[in-house]
Amino acid sequence: MAYIQIPDDEKGYKLDLFCVPKHYEEDLDQVIIPHGLIMDRTERLARDIVRDMGGHHIVALCVLKGGYTFFADLLDYIKALNQNSDKSVPLTVDFIRLKSYCNDQSTNIVKVIGGDELSTLTGKNVLIVEDIVETGRTMETLLSLLSECNPKMVKVVSLLVKRTPRSSGYRPDYIGFEVPDSFLVGYALDYNEYFRDLSHICILNENAKEKYKV
Amino acid sequence: MRVNSSSDRASECVPSRATGMEGGIVIKDDWPGYSLELFTYPEHYREDIESVYIPHGVIMDRFSTSCGKECWCVPHFYQPGRLGGLQEVIETERLARHIMDDIGDHDMVVLCVLKGGYKFCSDLVEFIKVQCRNSNKHLETRVEFIRLKSYLNDQSTEDLHIIGSQDLSVLRGKNVLIVEAIVDTGKTMKALLKHVEAFEPKMVKVAGLLVKRVSNVVGSLPDYVGFEIPNRFVVGYALDYNEYFRDLNHICVISEIGKVKYKI
């Protein structure tokens, strides 16, 4: 599946070419993905998803908390497709939180908190919606958990995938952008609850990492 | 677009639950909603909805704000009868500004009541962010989620069921804005407020997109109200009937066929 690749040496755009909250001007190096581009890419992801999964009831599973901004926007595009064509696919939603930790045997464990009974996924087309995939291990563990309830199909859409040596090699089915292993904030990505009010995805500079540290 | 006639005015001199502007846009009991053929909606709901009660664009305009700044757009204002059923209140910026004036001085936690609240919360947080951007203010806003179950089919049940994590210690000392899609008798909201207050927030306010005009009111009115509506079962804009209709953009009235088709 195609995606937009943001190279490691991406210069991005200077802050003064876009609207960025004044209080963040000292904290950001550059805008690497403008909000409009995120929206346009998301619109296309919605179309691809409906093309592949639209034959049968879709359960859109939002991974909180990071995933909810992208989730809301993606679903808006899917709904727009649904209400503007002759045929449409029923769509229900659910929200889960993942708690990921390693046990004493260093096995990756993922605990799913919240959400309906996983049995509601049986026979359905499940779409997991995530904001960013880094190592991929959490997602792999979640997928094997879900496969136990026998959904008809499971696909993962992630707005961002990081290019990192720590990656397990896992790739989501739908990817918005592949990004460098830098410290990114804005849109769905916060840093200690800051930057939620930034609509573009930007690179955080070193000073800011200290400034907003917990 | 429908032409104004006096019978279209849904909201003149009607006894309302609210006093003052904060009561929201009042929709009269006999407002039939708009005919389906005037809007787009998912084909799979064709037989299941009766009318479009509150179009999505109107919901957005209820929140959208002028922020009082020159650079931002003028709010979409409604003249009497321009959209047939709505009261001519609309200083829509008031909703945004009221919230920011009341609780924007301190770190805020938005507590989103899932699942019905997710659209309202997402859109509300977006315009709060816009407010902050335009006033160059930094407001630390966190969003937390809580899941409640209190409806079976179209009836409100007795119990408040909190699903998932009950630990809300992140609220301690913060200004909390509870964001709920719909308030009916107020019983659920009252129980939720009690639960939240146990975690000692600095201040708690409630924003309800819809408030129903019912006789058996238990709690008090939310602090911020989008629309006051008659006691009808509405779906759409994340409000469901047994999980269906969350994928419908507009707030609609469910049809009898729909009620039976998706019944548990």
Side-chain angles (χ1 to χ4, degrees):
Chain A
M1 208 66 80
Y3 51 86
I4 296 180
Q5 194 176 62
I6 311 273
D8 288 337
D9 56 359
E10 173 64 49
K11 293 283 180 294
Y13 299 97
K14 286 188 8 203
L15 293 186
D16 57 17
L17 296 174
F18 291 91
C19 288
V20 166
K22 207 172 171 62
H23 45 268
Y24 293 141
E25 274 171 10
E26 306 297 305
D27 308 323
L28 306 169
D29 275 345
Q30 66 253 49
V31 171
I32 65 162
I33 314 178
H35 182 256
L37 182 57
I38 301 172
M39 292 294 107
D40 289 341
R41 182 70 190 122
T42 304
E43 184 180 21
R44 180 54 196 253
L45 289 172
R47 204 175 91 183
D48 294 343
I49 287 167
V50 171
R51 177 199 61 205
D52 298 341
M53 303 178 78
H56 192 66
H57 185 135
I58 299 179
V59 176
L61 203 58
C62 171
V63 180
L64 295 172
K65 292 193 284 178
Y68 102 98
T69 313
F70 174 52
F71 178 80
D73 289 338
L74 177 68
L75 253 68
D76 278 350
Y77 283 118
I78 294 178
K79 287 189 293 188
L81 286 170
N82 257 349
Q83 63 203 36
N84 287 311
S85 87
D86 303 331
K87 52 185 194 87
S88 60
V89 57
L91 179 72
T92 53
V93 304
D94 203 6
F95 301 87
I96 56 171
R97 203 182 302 239
L98 303 179
K99 234 176 148 53
S100 155
Y101 53 95
C102 265
N103 67 5
D104 341 304
Q105 285 85 48
S106 283
T107 317
N108 204 46
I109 310 228
V110 166
K111 193 162 168 242
V112 178
I113 303 170
D116 294 324
E117 290 300 314
L118 290 182
S119 54
T120 55
L121 303 179
T122 307
K124 303 267 168 47
N125 284 355
V126 179
L127 175 70
I128 300 173
V129 181
E130 177 69 287
D131 55 343
I132 184 166
V133 168
E134 297 192 54
T135 63
R137 270 185 270 277
T138 306
M139 198 47 61
E140 283 174 322
T141 317
L142 174 61
L143 284 169
S144 73
L145 224 136
L146 292 184
S147 68
E148 288 168 20
C149 359
N150 292 316
K152 187 166 192 279
M153 180 199 286
V154 182
K155 299 253 186 211
V156 178
V157 56
S158 182
L159 177 65
L160 306 173
V161 167
K162 260 205 183 168
R163 225 170 13 250
T164 166
R166 296 169 289 125
S167 167
S168 68
Y170 168 75
R171 304 288 279 183
D173 303 277
Y174 306 96
I175 300 173
F177 303 84
E178 187 195 77
V179 293
D181 194 4
S182 324
F183 212 104
L184 301 176
V185 289
Y187 185 62
L189 308 169
D190 72 302
Y191 178 61
N192 296 328
E193 306 303 333
Y194 288 88
F195 302 103
R196 288 197 193 286
D197 51 337
L198 175 62
S199 42
H200 316 292
I201 291 179
C202 303
I203 296 184
L204 197 62
N205 64 33
E206 287 305 317
N207 301 335
K209 283 187 211 171
E210 276 310 305
K211 185 172 166 190
Y212 297 108
K213 207 167 180 153
V214 164
Chain B
M1 200 44 93
R2 292 168 63 191
V3 170
N4 174 43
S5 71
S6 54
S7 60
D8 284 355
R9 298 249 210 138
S11 62
E12 304 178 51
C13 321
V14 178
S16 152
R17 273 173 79 171
T19 51
M21 289 293 201
E22 288 78 359
I25 298 175
V26 176
I27 297 183
K28 230 162 80 163
D29 287 338
D30 57 4
W31 168 239
Y34 293 100
S35 162
L36 294 184
E37 69 199 357
L38 299 174
F39 294 91
T40 61
Y41 56 87
E43 194 54 31
H44 55 268
Y45 289 138
R46 175 177 281 274
E47 299 183 318
D48 309 327
I49 45 188
E50 219 171 75
S51 63
V52 173
Y53 212 59
I54 311 178
H56 180 257
V58 173
I59 304 171
M60 294 298 103
D61 290 341
R62 179 70 186 102
F63 306 91
S64 78
T65 173
S66 75
C67 300
K69 299 282 178 186
E70 324 65 6
C71 55
W72 205 246
C73 56
V74 174
H76 195 146
F77 63 92
Y78 299 111
Q79 290 174 2
R82 184 177 164 220
L83 268 181
L86 305 173
Q87 182 178 332
E88 102 181 87
V89 170
I90 314 312
E91 286 181 347
T92 54
E93 63 185 85
R94 281 183 151 233
L95 190 59
R97 270 222 293 234
H98 265 130
I99 293 178
M100 294 314 289
D101 287 345
D102 294 349
I103 67 180
D105 60 323
H106 190 72
D107 292 343
M108 186 163 80
V109 178
V110 172
L111 185 62
C112 169
V113 180
L114 293 174
K115 304 185 201 178
Y118 100 86
K119 272 302 288 167
F120 179 40
C121 177
S122 161
D123 292 336
L124 186 65
V125 167
E126 195 51 44
F127 83 74
I128 289 177
K129 287 196 290 189
V130 166
Q131 267 275 1
C132 289
R133 273 208 290 273
N134 285 333
S135 60
N136 276 318
K137 204 156 88 142
H138 168 72
L139 181 70
E140 184 184 304
T141 313
R142 277 177 86 113
V143 183
E144 290 295 331
F145 298 90
I146 188 167
R147 172 109 182 256
L148 304 179
K149 210 159 166 60
S150 62
Y151 270 83
L152 184 67
N153 291 329
D154 60 349
Q155 296 304 316
S156 189
T157 64
E158 288 291 310
D159 330 296
L160 175 68
H161 230 51
I162 298 181
I163 300 171
S165 171
Q166 304 218 10
D167 175 23
L168 294 175
S169 46
V170 289
L171 304 184
R172 187 155 282 118
K174 302 267 168 46
N175 284 354
V176 178
L177 177 68
I178 297 177
V179 176
E180 169 71 289
I182 185 164
V183 176
D184 194 318
T185 57
K187 200 184 301 201
T188 305
M189 191 47 60
K190 194 168 175 188
L192 177 59
L193 278 167
K194 197 159 159 221
H195 180 76
V196 165
E197 259 140 32
F199 294 96
E200 297 171 339
K202 181 166 187 274
M203 179 198 295
V204 183
K205 296 275 186 188
V206 180
L209 177 67
L210 304 175
V211 167
K212 272 196 181 172
R213 239 179 348 260
V214 292
S215 46
N216 50 335
V217 171
V218 159
S220 50
L221 202 62
D223 302 279
Y224 313 102
V225 176
F227 300 84
E228 185 191 287
I229 60 171
N231 188 9
R232 303 188 75 176
F233 193 80
V234 290
V235 292
Y237 191 68
L239 293 171
D240 75 311
Y241 173 74
N242 297 331
E243 297 306 322
Y244 290 91
F245 301 103
R246 293 200 202 274
D247 54 336
L248 175 60
N249 242 8
H250 315 293
I251 290 176
C252 299
V253 175
I254 191 174
S255 69
E256 286 309 313
I257 293 178
K259 273 192 196 174
V260 168
K261 190 193 277 187
Y262 302 115
K263 198 174 183 138
I264 287 188

